[in-house]
Amino acid sequence: FRRVLFRSLCLSRPDSFGLVGAAFIGVAIARKKLPWKLLVLPAIAIAGQLIFRLGYYGDWVPNTAHAKVAFTPNRLREGANYVLAGLTSLPLIGLGVLIAPALGRAAWAVLVPLAGWLAYVVVIGGDIFPAHRHLVPALVLAALLLARGLPRLGRFAPLIALLLLPGGWLVARRDPQIDLAHSERWEWDGVPVARVLDR
């Protein structure tokens, strides 16, 4: 099931191979064994995309990489600020990391891809769109840590779980970037252009 999910991830985002690679390393550390089967379907998906891209566009990387990626100190600074602002707005990510030690060695299977994704977002300079969308994978991974780690806190686990959801929501609602995501609609101005291109 995980292999199918990773394959789907690689089909939907060209940069997801880094997340899959980090998951491979994390699982290898957690199990003390290389999980080669984890890479088979994602590798096929990535190879298929690459063959298509080379044949159709004559390029090794997606157009978005040319448009967005620039390895400069300013871009790294923007990426770091983006991640820090997102971690402040989405405290569940930090709480997931804090509870990870309760899982012992198994936590590495999630911590490595979580750290790898955050580092990747820093390197690409974050994102111009509101609501910290590039931190969704980190939020999902943190949720996995919380789901596995909270039951180990004993009788206090249900109470903590009940407080986390409204607490996280309240913190996020104070973030102007989240409010902007509700009101920003300029992307829809491109609909007429898309229809012309479709015709």
Side-chain angles (χ1 to χ4, degrees):
F1 182 66
R2 279 177 298 192
R3 293 193 297 259
V4 173
L5 287 177
F6 281 148
R7 181 206 59 191
S8 301
L9 185 63
C10 288
L11 285 174
S12 64
R13 284 196 65 92
D15 55 1
S16 59
F17 68 91
L19 188 60
V20 173
F24 173 82
I25 293 168
V27 172
I29 294 170
R31 294 186 178 175
K32 296 183 180 179
K33 178 177 160 184
L34 293 174
W36 292 112
K37 289 182 180 178
L38 207 61
L39 295 180
V40 174
L41 291 178
I44 292 170
I46 291 165
Q49 274 196 345
L50 181 60
I51 291 166
F52 172 79
R53 193 181 303 120
L54 285 169
Y56 195 84
Y57 297 106
D59 205 343
W60 287 90
V61 296
N63 187 48
T64 50
H66 293 296
K68 295 182 178 181
V69 178
F71 300 108
T72 64
N74 187 53
R75 188 58 65 89
L76 289 174
R77 195 165 36 253
E78 289 174 356
N81 289 336
Y82 179 90
V83 168
L84 288 173
L87 292 177
T88 303
S89 177
L90 304 168
L92 293 181
I93 297 174
L95 290 172
V97 173
L98 287 175
I99 207 167
L103 298 174
R105 191 176 191 89
W108 290 108
V110 180
L111 283 175
V112 172
L114 175 57
W117 185 258
L118 292 178
Y120 166 72
V121 174
V122 169
V123 169
I124 64 170
D127 188 34
I128 63 165
F129 293 102
H132 316 292
R133 68 182 184 128
H134 275 339
L135 296 187
V136 169
L139 191 58
V140 170
L141 292 166
L144 290 173
L145 289 170
L146 288 166
R148 297 296 300 271
L150 280 177
R152 301 188 182 218
L153 299 181
R155 56 183 179 164
F156 297 107
L159 177 62
I160 295 170
L162 284 172
L163 293 173
L164 281 179
L165 191 58
W169 181 81
L170 286 171
V171 172
R173 288 300 298 152
R174 294 170 185 256
D175 184 351
Q177 285 291 313
I178 303 292
D179 284 335
L180 185 60
H182 289 286
S183 60
E184 183 184 89
R185 294 288 183 268
W186 65 265
E187 294 88 352
W188 292 103
D189 294 342
V191 170
V193 176
R195 287 180 176 150
V196 169
L197 290 173
D198 181 51
R199 285 199 299 271

